[in-house]
Amino acid sequence: MNIVAPTLEEIEYVIDMPEVSYSPPAFTVTTVPIEHNLCGALVYKAYYDSTEIAADEEFLSYSGSGGSLTAEFLDKATYGYLIDTTVPYSLTAEFANWPSATNPTVSTSTATSDVLYLDPCDHLTTFTPATQDNIPDDTYSGTEFSWNLIEFTVVPTFCIPTVTYTISNVSGPSLLRTEPNGTHDYTSFFTNYDLTLDSDSTGPADGELLVSASQSHYDNQELAPGTYTFTLMCTDQKGNSVTTTFTWTLLDPCLNPTIVQYEWDPYYLSYTISDTVYVPYVSYTWEPSFCRQTMTYT
Amino acid sequence: MKLPDGSHLTERVTPINSTVNVPTYYDVPQTNLLVQNITVKNPCVDPLYVTMFQDPTMPVPYDYEYVIGSPPTQIVYINFEPLILISGEFLPENCGTVDHALYYNDTLVTPNSLTVFSIPGTTTLQVYTTDISLTHQTGIYKI
């Protein structure tokens, strides 16, 4: 005659989350030499941290008679100290008609496991990106544009300080003039931002990205005209991340330039058949002046 | 630039087209046509290059006297060659031949003129008249 305990699972409870119930497997009875149930039913007791628990307890409740165990709601403010700790719990069984107190040799059995208290900021209930503003279009004016972070939705809200932001990728148009349809990774170019919300006073403001494009960026092929897609990544303290994007478009300032021809004094443009004269080159200006230009005569 | 001598002699305006290409960042050509006109002038009508004038040291005959009714009298009215000033490399021959016209009292003199008429193919004029009313009158001829 033997009472066989089941294997109990670890009860994981995330602090500040709703209660969690667990129904443990049943204890079984084995008999020899024959199979029978002459010994009657089993009775159970549950223990939390070595203290017998009842139906309605502060940490772990027990419905009794082999029923479910319930890890009760614990708010973070009061019970945050439990995060990342384990507390043992157990179930014992014995025959109702043959209590061990009066039958020292009778079979009893105990199954043990733990209640593991988890960090709610590792188990966000809501973690979604917020739509970000795009940066206004520019034509390499040199104007500095300020983009400001719109924080993602993080629940529980007390976990907001635990998430971090970064611009994980910036993809833009190809730098190569010969590859108008290609792309280029500009991540290392756009680094003038502060997405650490720590109220520091250096560099850009918290949550701010500063960008600018000048003529030299165009000339030196550091920023090509086209749309730049910034990938904004938010990561929780457990390493889970969500992303969203925003864009910045640089327009080609050399598209449809302004060409103004300079008119020479007609005296210089008349030729009387006689000898060699030199006709001045046609003079003109083009805007923006940093655009490349070539001229051919016909 | 050097244009051929001669061919020409009519002032004209020749456009010089210039194509300016201001490509986009991705080398997409954007061409603009600029036109600059050069005016080719005729040196034969430009006093800077060709000037014809009378040599003051070789005056034409003047104060010639004719007695009315006397036989026709011939006068060589051109005894000089016009001088031509030349500027630069231009050759005056390209302006063609020099032509003359004779006027008497502001009227073109022809072989059929009266009183003063020309002899075809020469630079000679003749004077002949029997009109006594012309006595003591002065006629002015010019070339």
Side-chain angles (χ1 to χ4, degrees):
Chain A
M1 174 70 62
N2 200 20
I3 300 174
V4 179
T7 299
L8 299 181
E9 293 183 2
E10 191 175 60
I11 300 174
E12 294 181 346
Y13 172 70
V14 181
I15 295 294
D16 220 279
M17 296 295 161
E19 63 186 26
V20 173
S21 291
Y22 170 61
S23 296
F27 285 68
T28 57
V29 176
T30 60
T31 61
V32 291
I34 61 171
E35 185 176 335
H36 65 80
N37 56 6
L38 299 174
C39 298
L42 298 174
V43 292
Y44 303 88
K45 289 181 180 179
Y47 297 85
Y48 175 80
D49 200 14
S50 302
T51 301
E52 184 175 356
I53 56 179
D56 186 14
E57 295 280 2
E58 180 180 12
F59 296 97
L60 187 65
S61 298
Y62 179 52
S63 63
S65 302
S68 61
L69 293 157
T70 299
E72 299 293 339
F73 170 81
L74 301 175
D75 69 280
K76 182 173 181 290
T78 306
Y79 300 97
Y81 67 90
L82 287 173
I83 290 173
D84 293 332
T85 66
T86 58
V87 177
Y89 77 94
S90 63
L91 276 177
T92 64
E94 65 180 2
F95 289 109
N97 296 329
W98 312 96
S100 58
T102 54
N103 300 278
T105 60
V106 72
S107 175
T108 62
S109 186
T110 300
T112 62
S113 188
D114 295 313
V115 178
L116 173 59
Y117 293 100
L118 301 175
D119 190 338
C121 295
D122 286 343
H123 301 80
L124 301 176
T125 56
T126 303
F127 188 28
T128 56
T131 301
Q132 306 294 313
D133 294 332
N134 294 324
I135 303 172
D137 297 352
D138 189 37
T139 54
Y140 296 84
S141 66
T143 303
E144 186 173 68
F145 293 94
S146 172
W147 171 90
N148 291 282
L149 169 71
I150 300 173
E151 293 188 57
F152 288 18
T153 302
V154 175
V155 178
T157 56
F158 56 73
C159 294
I160 290 176
T162 68
V163 301
T164 59
Y165 295 92
T166 188
I167 294 176
S168 61
N169 179 265
V170 182
S171 179
S174 170
L175 283 174
L176 299 177
R177 297 188 192 279
T178 54
E179 293 182 4
N181 298 319
T183 60
H184 182 75
D185 185 350
Y186 290 88
T187 308
S188 62
F189 187 89
F190 295 99
T191 57
N192 191 18
Y193 60 82
D194 182 358
L195 298 182
T196 303
L197 310 182
D198 56 1
S199 303
D200 65 341
S201 58
T202 60
D206 283 1
E208 183 181 39
L209 162 69
L210 297 173
V211 299
S212 66
S214 65
Q215 297 174 3
S216 64
H217 291 131
Y218 185 92
D219 277 348
N220 300 331
Q221 298 184 58
E222 296 174 287
L223 292 173
T227 297
Y228 294 75
T229 301
F230 295 74
T231 300
L232 176 63
M233 175 183 287
C234 182
T235 306
D236 69 10
Q237 64 178 22
K238 196 175 182 181
N240 300 312
S241 61
V242 292
T243 62
T244 189
T245 61
F246 60 95
T247 62
W248 186 33
T249 299
L250 286 177
L251 304 174
D252 193 335
C254 295
L255 184 64
N256 301 320
T258 301
I259 307 292
V260 177
Q261 181 175 353
Y262 175 78
E263 297 295 336
W264 280 89
D265 185 330
Y267 171 79
Y268 295 104
L269 296 176
S270 64
Y271 169 76
T272 302
I273 297 173
S274 60
D275 53 0
T276 301
V277 297
Y278 296 94
V279 177
Y281 280 96
V282 61
S283 295
Y284 56 94
T285 59
W286 64 99
E287 289 292 340
S289 58
F290 62 86
C291 296
R292 299 166 295 147
Q293 60 84 31
T294 58
M295 181 178 66
T296 55
Y297 282 109
T298 57
Chain B
M1 173 184 289
K2 181 174 176 65
L3 298 181
D5 290 342
S7 55
H8 42 335
L9 303 192
T10 299
E11 179 171 310
R12 65 178 182 271
V13 176
T14 302
I16 301 174
N17 294 330
S18 303
T19 302
V20 176
N21 178 28
V22 183
T24 65
Y25 183 91
Y26 289 115
D27 289 334
V28 176
Q30 300 176 109
T31 57
N32 293 266
L33 179 64
L34 304 181
V35 178
Q36 178 178 243
N37 290 325
I38 180 169
T39 302
V40 179
K41 293 186 173 179
N42 183 355
C44 299
V45 296
D46 189 335
L48 279 176
Y49 294 85
V50 176
T51 299
M52 181 163 55
F53 68 99
Q54 176 185 350
D55 184 349
T57 66
M58 299 180 69
V60 297
Y62 64 97
D63 289 347
Y64 188 84
E65 294 182 350
Y66 171 74
V67 178
I68 295 172
S70 61
T73 301
Q74 294 188 356
I75 303 171
V76 178
Y77 65 85
I78 289 181
N79 57 0
F80 68 97
E81 288 297 328
L83 299 183
I84 298 173
L85 292 183
I86 301 170
S87 177
E89 301 174 351
F90 182 72
L91 299 177
E93 292 80 7
N94 291 319
C95 291
T97 58
V98 177
D99 202 5
H100 311 90
L102 178 64
Y103 291 84
Y104 179 72
N105 286 343
D106 293 328
T107 300
L108 180 64
V109 175
T110 70
N112 299 319
S113 299
L114 297 178
T115 307
V116 177
F117 53 92
S118 60
I119 299 175
T122 70
T123 56
T124 301
L125 62 82
Q126 283 194 354
V127 179
Y128 174 75
T129 184
T130 58
D131 186 357
I132 197 66
S133 65
L134 296 177
T135 301
H136 293 147
Q137 290 190 13
T138 298
I140 299 174
Y141 70 87
K142 65 180 179 181
I143 303 168

